[in-house]
Amino acid sequence: MANSTSSSFTRWLVLIGLTVVIVGLGGLVGAVTGTGDSLWYQALEKPFFNPPGYVFGIVWPILYTLMAIATWLIWQAPATPQRQRALTLFGVQLAFNYAWPFMFSVFEMIGVAAVWILALVVILFMTVRAYAKIIPITGWMLAPYLAWSTFAFVLNASIFYLNA
């Protein structure tokens, strides 16, 4: 009995840890890059569908939390090559996610950032499919993130077009 309690406690600690790391790193990247705060960004021409800055602060923590829960569920699945592939894809897309604000806001490379986020969307789509094959609900949990990232690509590409 103590072993199953210990195992259950460990599983919950992993969920908390994943959530803190994924949400925390996302918040740290946002704070460091100051996406939307710079005079450079404010001077850019933006499309009519550009959301107000506060929307990003609401959306991202929700998406990062859903990512953490979905990844936690996949982590608990039996160890298989499919699970390893899914977790690897997740790590790759997350690295792309965290790198994008640096390209866009810090280095002010709007075109490169558009290509980068398109690559993110492709890798994320592969991640969603890989997760869904293992535990279908996890694919649905990542679907809002895929939709938001696709929207972010359209927004990024539009800003590039309007300011080229």
Side-chain angles (χ1 to χ4, degrees), residues 7-162:
S7 175
S8 178
F9 181 73
T10 301
R11 284 195 309 270
W12 286 108
L13 276 180
V14 169
L15 173 60
I16 293 166
L18 273 171
T19 305
V20 167
V21 168
I22 292 171
V23 176
L25 282 176
L28 181 62
V29 166
V32 167
T33 60
T35 306
D37 294 338
S38 71
L39 293 176
W40 168 81
Y41 179 77
Q42 292 174 13
L44 290 172
E45 190 172 340
K46 296 169 202 70
F48 70 92
F49 56 87
N50 188 62
Y54 70 86
V55 171
F56 296 93
I58 295 169
V59 170
W60 276 114
I62 294 167
L63 296 177
Y64 284 135
T65 301
L66 285 170
M67 285 186 243
I69 296 168
T71 299
W72 177 69
L73 291 169
I74 294 298
W75 171 76
Q76 291 185 93
T80 63
Q82 293 82 7
R83 184 189 81 162
Q84 184 57 47
R85 179 178 184 273
L87 292 173
T88 299
L89 284 167
F90 180 81
V92 170
Q93 70 76 31
L94 193 60
F96 270 69
N97 174 306
Y98 291 153
W100 178 86
F102 289 93
M103 287 179 206
F104 187 91
S105 296
V106 175
F107 302 119
E108 300 175 1
M109 299 186 307
I110 305 170
V112 172
V115 173
W116 189 265
I117 201 168
L118 179 59
L120 164 64
V121 168
V122 170
I123 298 165
L124 179 54
F125 178 77
M126 293 167 57
T127 305
V128 169
R129 288 192 60 205
Y131 271 38
K133 286 179 181 178
I134 298 167
I135 303 173
I137 190 69
T138 61
W140 288 108
M141 293 172 79
L142 294 182
Y145 172 37
L146 179 59
W148 183 256
S149 296
T150 302
F151 169 74
F153 163 70
V154 172
L155 181 60
N156 188 153
S158 299
I159 292 171
F160 177 70
Y161 174 78
L162 291 171

